[in-house]
């Protein structure tokens, strides 16, 4: 029995290490747009909301000073398609306007749209502090700068995470291209970069072991994983019997 438990724990830890969704890297304003992740979040169970919400949490910092903050976006498919297609528009000033034209009435902004959904973070976030868009600090996973809580009523859904060098002008509530550091009087804008480091998980980051199966797995992989584990367990139980029978 002890052996079996040990093997099971070993297997679990193997799976967890192998498939943790941890995204880390650097985004430069010269890239304009960067697609970071697509992740399937499970359906929210209304009786166990905290345990079945999806969470995206981490840090978004820079060593440089940005004149205007650029945008970190977490969008569902419906909102993502138009936004993603429009990134290719040659004139990036226009691209920013088109990408966000359907989103500025959906996404929350403290001044431009107070009734919107929580889709964007203005980045970079100041080192050692929460992102400015985190207005409910107790919702932020400890030792991180931002947290999105993903609620999927009805069905599991894919969410798409990206960064783009566009900013919202808070005076006019219109979107513009951020070309990098323009403080230098020379004509060439200096590229600026942001370091990102974040996790995507199913279920509260607090509830570790019981959710180990679904935690850190995109929903499309969860059922495969569970089937795999069931077979593995059967194998562990049947193997000694077979050895015994063969003697
Ligand atoms: C969306 O953008 C348009 C044009 O940029 C602007 O006129 C409108 O007020 C914006 N809507 C919201 C809700 O911010
Ligand atoms: C993220 O930022 C927090 C402070 O805001 C810091 O304590 C933590 O170590 C940072 N994590 C990483 C991985 O840089
Ligand atoms: C402005 O840019 C030029 C050329 O890239 C560089 O030599 C100079 O040090 C920069 N000045 C400042 C204040 O950053
Ligand atoms: C994690 O647990 C702490 C204390 O137990 C709680 O304050 C915090 O809100 C929880 N965070 C999440 C994301 O559930």
């Amino acid at each position: 029995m002890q052996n079996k438990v040990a093997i099971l724990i070993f297997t679990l830890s193997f799976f967890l290490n192998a498939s943790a969704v941890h995204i880390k890297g650097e985004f430069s304003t010269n890239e304009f747009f960067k697609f970071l992740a697509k992740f399937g979040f499970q359906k929210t169970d209304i009786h166990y909301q905290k345990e079945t919400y999806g969470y995206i949490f981490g840090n978004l910092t820079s060593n440089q000073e940005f004149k205007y903050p650029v945008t970190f976006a977490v969008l569902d498919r419906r909102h993502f398609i138009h936004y993603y297609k429009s990134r290719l528009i040659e004139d990036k000033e226009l691209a920013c306007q088109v990408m966000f034209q359907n989103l500025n009435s959906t996404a929350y902004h403290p001044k431009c749209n107070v009734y919107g959904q929580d889709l964007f973070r203005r980045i970079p976030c100041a080192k050692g502090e929460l992102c400015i868009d985190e207005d409910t600090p107790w919702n932020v996973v400890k030792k991180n700068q931002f947290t999105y809580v993903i609620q999927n009523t009805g069905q599991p859904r894919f969410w798409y995470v990206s960064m783009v060098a566009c900013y919202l002008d808070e005076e006019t509530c219109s979107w513009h291209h951020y070309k990098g550091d323009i403080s230098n009087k020379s004509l060439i804008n200096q590229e600026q970069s942001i370091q990102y480091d974040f996790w995507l998980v199913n279920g509260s980051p607090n509830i570790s072991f019981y959710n180990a199966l679904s935690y850190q797995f995109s929903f499309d992989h969860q059922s495969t994983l569970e089937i795999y584990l069931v077979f593995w367990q059967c194998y562990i139980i049947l193997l000694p019997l077979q050895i015994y029978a063969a003697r």
Side-chain angles (χ1 to χ4, degrees), residues 130-197:
L130 296 184
C131 298
I132 42 175
D133 295 302
E134 294 297 344
D135 42 14
T136 48
W138 56 90
N139 272 340
V140 179
V141 178
K142 281 188 193 66
K143 296 202 169 162
N144 290 277
Q145 295 182 296
F146 75 90
T147 298
Y148 283 84
V149 179
I150 308 282
Q151 189 176 358
N152 293 327
T153 45
Q155 65 196 45
R157 263 192 293 173
F158 282 110
W159 288 78
Y160 302 79
V161 183
S162 62
M163 276 186 194
V164 63
C166 296
Y167 68 94
L168 183 64
D169 180 329
E170 304 198 352
E171 295 295 313
T172 59
C173 291
S174 57
W175 289 89
H176 299 283
H177 180 203
Y178 184 73
K179 301 188 192 72
D181 189 2
I182 44 175
S183 59
N184 196 326
K185 288 286 175 279
S186 74
L187 285 174
I188 308 144
N189 298 310
Q190 305 288 310
E191 73 172 305
Q192 291 186 284
S193 53
I194 293 177
Q195 284 76 43
Y196 53 83
D197 184 345

